[in-house]
Amino acid sequence: MRFVENYKADATADLVYRMCPIHLLEPVELMKELKEGQVLEILTDYDGALEDIPAWCEKNGQEFVGIDEDDENEIYKLYVKKLH
Amino acid sequence: MKRVYLDHAAATPVRKEVLEAMLPYFSKIYANPSSVYDLGTNVKRVLEEQREKVAELIGAGKNEIIFTSSGAEANNIAVKGAALANRKKGKHVIVSAIEHHSVLNSARFLERFHGFEVTFLPVDKYGLASVETLERFLTDETVLVSIMHGNNEIGTIQQISELATSCKERGIAFHTDAVATVGSIPVDVKELNVDLLSLSGPALGAPKGTGALYFKKKLRFVPLIHGGIQENGRRGGTENVPGIVGLGKAAELAISELSSKPLYLQGLRERLVSGILEKIPHVVYTGHPEKRLPGHASFCFEAIEGEALLFMLSRDGIYASTGSACASKALKTSPVLVAIGVAPEIAQGSVVFTLSHENNTEEINHVLEKLPVAVEKLRSFSPVWRKKMAA
């Protein structure tokens, strides 16, 4: 797992408290609106996203940039760069 | 016998146009909106059209609405969900003392099972909450305030925008239960400045089992019903498509009627109120005299039991309530009347009339003819009345 800190994103998908598998649907829609090279930030409290998002990136040819754990708020921030 | 139904806060008939809109969705158009084939995506599109209509009714964005099974569920999601989502910031919530049980008991749930502190905000003799009193109870730990827009038992309408603004300035989420007001008076979430708002389908002439919750964009809440992607992952369970279509149609009708309906209802109410106060002595008109729901008239008839009066009235074909439908069965003094300072012995004589656009002047005249007779008869049996008259 790659970790990042204070990473700047171009758009955010706030999925905190929203239920699985929404973490695999809403980011896909938001990615369509991004340009190549732009980064999507995914906020989630769902542990399963830590495996699912990198796996989705690999399968779909997008770059998984890394994860930032927000321990204070008990959420994860995952970053995905649009490659195509 | 003529039937005069004046208990629309408890239940309403499903409107003809609403029923017609719903019917195809029971057995002809029945696909699951989450299904990926065209039958499903067509239903999903219809569902989203209804969301737009409900959003338009309250001045919200379409992505700020989730459908629920009732106003009570919307209240549960709002109070529990928003408080739990903010539990790291603080564990204090404030609800007014005259809230519906779905708000009061959601707050008590947070207190009992999640270690929250709950303040039940006092109100004045009309049931109005004041900004000054609210601000006295706000602390650094307060994460949610819930104050209802219109009260179902005494009809009082709160100055929600002032109360909400005070909370917003401090970063505290504000919820209002607008079950009694949406469809009855114009309601706009931006004007009210609220973060969360609950509404109910039956209040609009949609079927029981329908409701919706408004949540301001970007506001987080913990779901109540865990499931899948329905309602964008915010409420699990396959959507009640026929009910939602009914709610959408009812919202559409409400939008077209909001310019005329309140005035019509207010006219009928004023006739009822002035007639009762003129013809019957020793009656307390509860709630605020002006800041109240247009079709709502609530009274306490001294020295008689409200239940007995309802029974007498039903024999004359008149149907009303002693308070909220769920509380009145418990034969307990209404917490709302206690909160506004009505003496328990007077609160026993509570009767609430809630009117709709289907009522008319003739029906109100029928009530004004039969009610004084019923009250006089009950008082003639009442030892409390005899004692009062002898004093």
Side-chain angles (χ1 to χ4, degrees):
Chain A
M1 186 65 69
R2 277 167 285 173
F3 291 91
V4 292
E5 264 185 42
N6 302 320
Y7 201 86
K8 294 279 176 244
D10 299 288
T12 298
D14 185 352
L15 308 178
V16 177
Y17 305 131
R18 292 167 64 189
M19 291 173 284
C20 168
I22 203 76
H23 65 289
L24 289 173
L25 299 176
E26 197 157 305
V28 174
E29 291 305 310
L30 287 170
M31 286 284 280
K32 289 178 188 166
E33 294 166 20
L34 293 184
K35 294 176 192 151
E36 281 181 22
Q38 287 190 314
V39 172
L40 178 68
E41 177 184 53
I42 301 166
L43 308 180
T44 181
D45 60 320
Y46 176 57
D47 295 348
L50 304 185
E51 280 186 26
D52 291 347
I53 299 293
W56 178 87
C57 289
E58 197 173 323
K59 189 178 167 191
N60 291 280
Q62 308 293 3
E63 182 185 334
F64 178 67
V65 177
I67 176 174
D68 186 357
E69 286 182 320
D70 181 348
D71 293 332
E72 197 187 330
N73 295 305
E74 294 177 349
I75 62 169
Y76 306 105
K77 301 174 181 176
L78 296 102
Y79 297 90
V80 176
K81 184 181 276 183
K82 181 168 176 165
L83 297 183
H84 60 88
Chain B
M1 184 172 60
K2 178 198 278 291
R3 191 177 81 172
V4 180
Y5 183 77
L6 300 175
D7 194 13
H8 291 90
T12 57
V14 172
R15 298 185 67 167
K16 186 172 156 281
E17 304 91 323
V18 169
L19 182 61
E20 277 172 9
M22 291 171 65
L23 284 175
Y25 293 90
F26 284 102
S27 54
K28 283 185 186 157
I29 309 169
Y30 51 83
N32 189 319
S34 296
S35 294
V36 294
Y37 43 76
D38 59 351
L39 296 180
T41 54
N42 287 343
V43 175
K44 174 73 174 164
R45 197 181 60 248
V46 170
L47 204 66
E48 295 311 311
E49 286 166 8
Q50 312 316 308
R51 204 184 303 280
E52 277 177 36
K53 292 179 195 173
V54 173
E56 187 188 343
L57 176 62
I58 56 170
K62 85 179 262 300
N63 294 324
E64 296 177 313
I65 300 289
I66 59 164
F67 292 115
T68 64
S69 66
S70 59
E73 187 196 325
N75 282 340
N76 269 261
I77 299 173
V79 174
K80 295 176 190 172
L84 290 174
N86 288 292
R87 67 197 182 284
K88 291 272 166 193
K89 279 201 255 171
K91 287 191 135 186
H92 177 229
V93 300
I94 298 177
V95 300
S96 91
I98 60 166
E99 293 299 307
H100 187 261
H101 278 99
S102 52
V103 167
L104 293 175
N105 286 334
S106 290
R108 289 185 185 117
F109 169 85
L110 290 169
E111 192 174 40
R112 183 170 175 208
F113 293 104
H114 293 280
F116 276 74
E117 187 194 336
V118 178
T119 297
F120 296 93
L121 186 73
V123 292
D124 71 10
K125 64 179 180 177
Y126 299 120
L128 283 173
S130 76
V131 173
E132 294 72 28
T133 310
L134 174 62
E135 287 179 349
R136 278 214 313 272
F137 288 101
L138 296 175
T139 72
D140 293 341
E141 286 279 308
T142 311
V143 290
L144 176 74
V145 172
S146 180
I147 299 175
M148 73 198 313
H149 193 195
N151 186 275
N152 52 316
E153 282 188 60
I154 56 171
T156 298
I157 297 175
Q158 304 286 346
Q159 304 301 299
I160 290 297
S161 62
E162 295 171 14
L163 297 159
T165 301
S166 170
C167 292
K168 300 294 273 297
E169 285 165 356
R170 294 166 171 82
I172 297 166
F174 192 97
H175 165 249
T176 191
D177 168 359
V179 165
T181 49
V182 173
S184 183
I185 58 170
V187 172
D188 184 295
V189 291
K190 291 184 192 73
E191 280 174 24
L192 294 180
N193 202 14
V194 294
D195 298 295
L196 296 137
L197 177 146
S198 308
L199 65 93
S200 153
L204 306 170
K208 297 167 188 68
T210 60
L213 174 69
Y214 157 79
F215 61 98
K216 194 172 185 175
K217 202 175 170 187
K218 294 189 177 171
L219 183 118
R220 291 174 183 163
F221 59 87
V222 175
L224 194 67
I225 301 176
H226 290 88
I229 59 169
Q230 297 87 4
E231 299 302 293
N232 271 322
R234 292 185 171 97
R235 180 190 186 264
T238 302
E239 297 87 343
N240 168 15
V241 177
I244 291 168
V245 169
L247 178 57
K249 186 68 188 176
E252 191 185 308
L253 293 170
I255 292 166
S256 69
E257 293 165 354
L258 269 172
S259 56
S260 58
K261 190 176 162 188
L263 277 177
Y264 176 73
L265 290 179
Q266 202 172 317
L268 286 184
R269 182 196 75 200
E270 286 313 311
R271 187 177 189 87
L272 179 66
V273 171
S274 58
I276 288 175
L277 296 178
E278 197 179 289
K279 287 169 183 261
I280 305 172
H282 298 278
V283 178
V284 179
Y285 182 34
T286 56
H288 199 282
E290 289 100 35
K291 292 173 189 165
R292 66 182 302 136
L293 298 164
H296 191 287
S298 50
F299 305 91
C300 289
F301 296 89
E302 290 185 35
I304 55 175
E305 294 280 339
E307 293 282 336
L309 184 54
L310 286 193
F311 178 70
M312 293 277 285
L313 289 175
S314 69
R315 286 170 44 172
D316 285 323
I318 299 165
Y319 298 89
S321 170
T322 57
S324 76
C326 30
S328 59
K329 270 198 162 180
L331 293 176
K332 197 179 154 188
T333 305
S334 154
V336 174
L337 296 178
V338 171
I340 63 169
V342 176
E345 65 275 16
I346 291 175
Q348 293 301 318
S350 164
V351 172
V352 179
F353 300 96
T354 43
L355 321 180
S356 89
H357 64 285
E358 290 185 348
N359 294 124
N360 56 44
T361 306
E362 193 192 329
E363 292 179 331
I364 301 300
N365 291 346
H366 181 66
V367 176
L368 293 175
E369 183 195 328
K370 299 294 182 186
L371 180 64
V373 180
V375 170
E376 198 178 335
K377 189 161 188 182
L378 285 172
R379 281 177 174 167
S380 72
F381 307 142
S382 164
V384 179
W385 180 252
R386 280 200 292 275
K387 199 172 158 191
K388 188 176 177 70
M389 289 301 101

